[in-house]
Amino acid sequence: MFENLSERLSGVFERLTKQGSLSEEDVKAALREVRVALLEADVSLPVARKFVKDVQEKATGQAVTKSVTPGQQVVKIVHDELVEVLKGEGDPGDLKIDSPPAPILMVGLQGSGKTTTTAKIAKRLKDREGKRVLMASLDVNRPAAMEQLQILGQQVGVDTLPIVKGETPVQIAKRAKTQASLGGYDVYFLDTAGRLHIDQELIQQAADVRDVVQPRETLLVVDGLTGQVAVEVAEEFDDKIGVSGVVLTRMDGDGRGGAALSMRAVTGKPIRFVGTGEKVDALEEFDPERIAGRILGMGDIVALVEKAQETLEAEQAERMLKRLQKGQFNMNDLKSQLEQMLKMGGMEGLMGMMPGMGKMKGQMAEAGMDDTVLKRQIALINSMTKKERANPQILQASRKKRIAAGAGLEVSELNKLLKQHRQMSDMMKKLGKKGGRNALKQALGMMGGGKGGAPGAGMDEKALQQAAQQMGGLGGKGGMQLPPGLSGFGRKK
């Protein structure tokens, strides 16, 4: 969603950082472009104006223009200001669910993704914080709305309130409150009805439910693709009902991300979560610093490590560490790494989170390198026998023909895969030696959680950043780089 804005800003900053010295005029010209980029990304005009004015005041002082790296200084000021716009005043902290059973009211317009988001947050609280969660649908208007929440509850393993036809939303809310108290639940979600637009009936219904349950949090779900309309909806809901936080959905779309940048500044309400896909685990906590880093192409190492933690089991990490320390790396290991990449969002997802890799995403797309390459490689490995996977050196011409035919691909693609495996195997042997072993241990321990703990347990963000940088340093001078084997990828046919 921030891709266009990110590209425009990185172009502006690239020109700035190339210049040895900066005059005030240079900074002003660059900030004019930044302002246009923000407006094109659908950031509201007052927010864009204030943002550029604040940056200009800080960036045109002696300290910046006379510094050794003036371009870098301007980028840092823009980054800090961007965090300020996204964060606003005061840290909202965690969701207020400390006194069980804590009611959370979900409100929003129809089609914004309230029901799915309710299930996503419930799953997150259950899995990450070990909470007992109950969900109840108060939508008596939309056909099968209650059944939808019930099915989502079964998918994510969260209890839902039994459906009783003919009840009013207030009656359902009271029943949910009683059930949550008697059933020993920590949190209960009330998923209210939506409308195509804000009307008196919708507001009244939500207000009645609010008065009955006195929610600890009222989360407004808005569609990120609607741009500034999302901000107007948030203002109106807050005015009529009172909102404690916002969830922006469809942030994986190709719309413009201006709503996210304007929301906090205009409404004063924090963005709690962003929905990044249709699946029930496609929900991210909204961290202003990390989002700002992604917008400015600085990557998001912490999110990358979190994704790895979610997809990599502790025992699997332990096993992998032992094999890599011995310098062992066969086709089964390569296959598990390729599958891991796909689970973590594929090549594009990984590139977006790696520092300085933003530009490579475009180059890779032009070169025809995408996730189909990974899937083809997995198909080739699946076409091998157990013996061939464990010992790829035995592959002769006749075996190669059989494997390629089994995967429906050319022998040349298999040769590229084998070359990639050899290069990665050599790299793993180097990592297995003393120098790389500590970084490897730290990275895999961080992802898999080591023995007897949750993934990444006890590691703060700085520790994650440091370990990630240490791993990045193994790639050569430029920090985190792709394994050399990736040069062997072919073009899309």
Side-chain angles (χ1 to χ4, degrees):
M1 180 159 268
F2 297 117
E3 219 161 80
N4 289 342
L5 177 62
S6 195
E7 277 173 24
R8 288 288 300 268
L9 292 179
S10 59
V12 174
F13 296 139
E14 204 172 320
R15 287 196 291 279
L16 274 183
T17 47
K18 275 180 183 170
Q19 289 172 259
S21 61
L22 285 182
S23 65
E24 291 200 7
E25 282 308 309
D26 292 333
V27 175
K28 280 180 185 171
L31 288 178
R32 270 198 296 274
E33 284 188 61
V34 169
R35 184 180 164 186
V36 172
L38 289 171
L39 293 174
E40 282 182 0
D42 201 23
V43 176
S44 70
L45 182 61
V47 175
R49 267 192 192 142
K50 185 179 182 305
F51 178 82
V52 171
K53 184 168 169 277
D54 291 348
V55 172
Q56 196 163 324
E57 279 173 15
K58 291 175 187 171
T60 48
Q62 287 283 324
V64 172
T65 47
K66 294 277 185 279
S67 75
V68 185
T69 54
Q72 300 279 353
Q73 295 278 80
V74 174
V75 175
K76 188 188 180 306
I77 290 166
V78 170
H79 177 266
D80 294 347
E81 207 56 46
L82 203 50
V83 171
E84 200 58 40
V85 168
L86 292 166
K87 191 188 271 184
E89 288 174 23
D91 182 20
D94 295 331
L95 289 175
K96 298 180 187 73
I97 49 173
D98 40 6
S99 54
I104 295 180
L105 188 65
M106 305 292 287
V107 295
L109 295 180
Q110 197 171 326
S112 59
K114 269 193 313 303
T115 306
T116 312
T117 302
T118 302
K120 285 179 179 181
I121 301 174
K123 180 182 189 295
R124 191 184 178 90
L125 291 178
K126 177 180 82 83
D127 294 348
R128 296 204 176 188
E129 298 182 32
K131 301 287 183 191
R132 282 201 70 206
V133 186
L134 176 72
M135 301 190 294
S137 174
L138 311 186
D139 193 345
V140 293
N141 305 324
R142 182 164 65 90
M146 292 180 173
E147 286 80 359
Q148 182 193 351
L149 191 67
Q150 194 175 41
I151 290 166
L152 283 167
Q154 288 164 4
Q155 281 178 12
V156 299
V158 170
D159 295 342
T160 50
L161 191 73
I163 297 167
V164 176
K165 298 289 180 189
E167 284 190 332
T168 65
V170 172
Q171 285 171 326
I172 300 169
K174 283 179 180 172
R175 192 156 57 88
K177 188 178 182 180
T178 310
Q179 171 97 6
S181 301
L182 296 175
Y185 290 96
D186 299 309
V187 187
Y188 64 102
F189 283 86
L190 300 171
D191 177 27
T192 61
R195 294 278 191 289
L196 293 175
H197 59 90
I198 297 172
D199 61 15
Q200 194 51 44
E201 193 187 343
L202 168 72
I203 295 294
Q204 192 56 50
Q205 202 179 83
D208 290 344
V209 172
R210 177 199 63 195
D211 296 341
V212 168
V213 298
Q214 299 293 320
R216 297 298 309 271
E217 293 274 359
T218 303
L219 297 181
L220 171 69
V221 182
V222 285
D223 186 345
L225 292 178
T226 55
Q228 288 309 307
V229 176
V231 181
E232 289 163 22
V233 169
E235 281 189 292
E236 202 159 340
F237 264 100
D238 186 41
D239 187 42
K240 304 271 172 56
I241 300 171
V243 171
S244 64
V246 179
V247 181
L248 276 177
T249 60
R250 300 194 198 169
M251 292 300 279
D252 56 324
D254 55 1
R256 297 170 298 177
L261 292 168
S262 314
M263 185 68 73
R264 179 74 179 185
V266 175
T267 65
K269 300 298 167 192
I271 299 171
R272 290 293 198 165
F273 300 100
V274 286
T276 54
E278 292 177 14
K279 292 183 180 172
V280 283
D281 54 358
L283 184 81
E284 282 184 23
E285 204 163 329
F286 187 86
D287 186 314
E289 293 205 12
R290 283 154 56 176
I291 297 282
R294 277 195 223 179
I295 292 173
L296 297 179
M298 295 171 181
D300 186 353
I301 284 291
V302 181
L304 185 63
V305 171
E306 278 177 1
K307 270 233 163 72
Q309 287 173 6
E310 284 167 21
T311 56
L312 192 68
E313 296 295 320
E315 290 158 25
Q316 191 187 343
E318 201 77 28
R319 270 200 313 273
M320 196 191 292
L321 179 62
K322 280 177 185 164
R323 286 185 58 75
L324 296 184
Q325 279 182 341
K326 290 176 189 169
Q328 294 172 342
F329 186 77
N330 61 24
M331 282 294 176
N332 291 319
D333 300 315
L334 179 59
K335 184 190 168 193
S336 68
Q337 289 205 359
L338 293 171
E339 284 170 344
Q340 178 87 354
M341 277 179 81
L342 285 175
K343 277 187 201 165
M344 288 169 69
M347 282 193 193
E348 207 171 309
L350 290 171
M351 288 289 149
M353 292 182 207
M354 286 184 183
M357 288 288 192
K359 280 187 192 163
M360 272 191 72
K361 268 168 62 174
Q363 291 167 4
M364 283 171 66
E366 282 169 29
M369 280 167 61
D370 60 10
D371 292 349
T372 52
V373 177
L374 302 180
K375 287 171 186 167
R376 283 176 174 189
Q377 294 191 326
I378 291 168
L380 282 166
I381 297 171
N382 284 339
S383 188
M384 296 176 188
T385 63
K386 281 185 183 177
K387 192 178 174 184
E388 288 166 345
R389 283 189 215 177
N391 189 10
Q393 289 81 6
I394 63 170
L395 294 182
Q396 304 304 331
S398 58
R399 285 180 187 260
K400 285 182 183 178
K401 271 185 192 171
R402 191 203 78 244
I403 292 164
L409 296 167
E410 301 289 327
V411 175
S412 58
E413 295 202 47
L414 176 60
N415 287 334
K416 282 176 191 166
L417 175 67
L418 292 170
K419 183 184 174 189
Q420 181 192 333
H421 170 263
R422 274 197 306 275
Q423 289 174 328
M424 287 184 81
S425 184
D426 291 344
M427 192 172 82
M428 294 307 166
K429 277 173 190 162
K430 282 178 194 167
L431 278 174
K433 289 175 187 165
K434 279 188 180 174
R437 207 174 279 183
N438 292 339
L440 191 65
K441 221 172 195 173
Q442 201 173 355
L444 280 169
M446 176 172 70
M447 290 172 186
K451 287 177 184 170
M459 292 195 75
D460 59 3
E461 287 199 10
K462 276 188 183 169
L464 293 182
Q465 293 273 20
Q466 278 173 354
Q469 278 166 6
Q470 206 173 344
M471 279 299 284
L474 295 165
K477 288 180 189 170
M480 193 165 270
Q481 294 177 355
L482 288 172
L486 289 181
S487 59
F489 278 152
R491 287 173 176 271
K492 231 194 297 186
K493 291 199 171 177

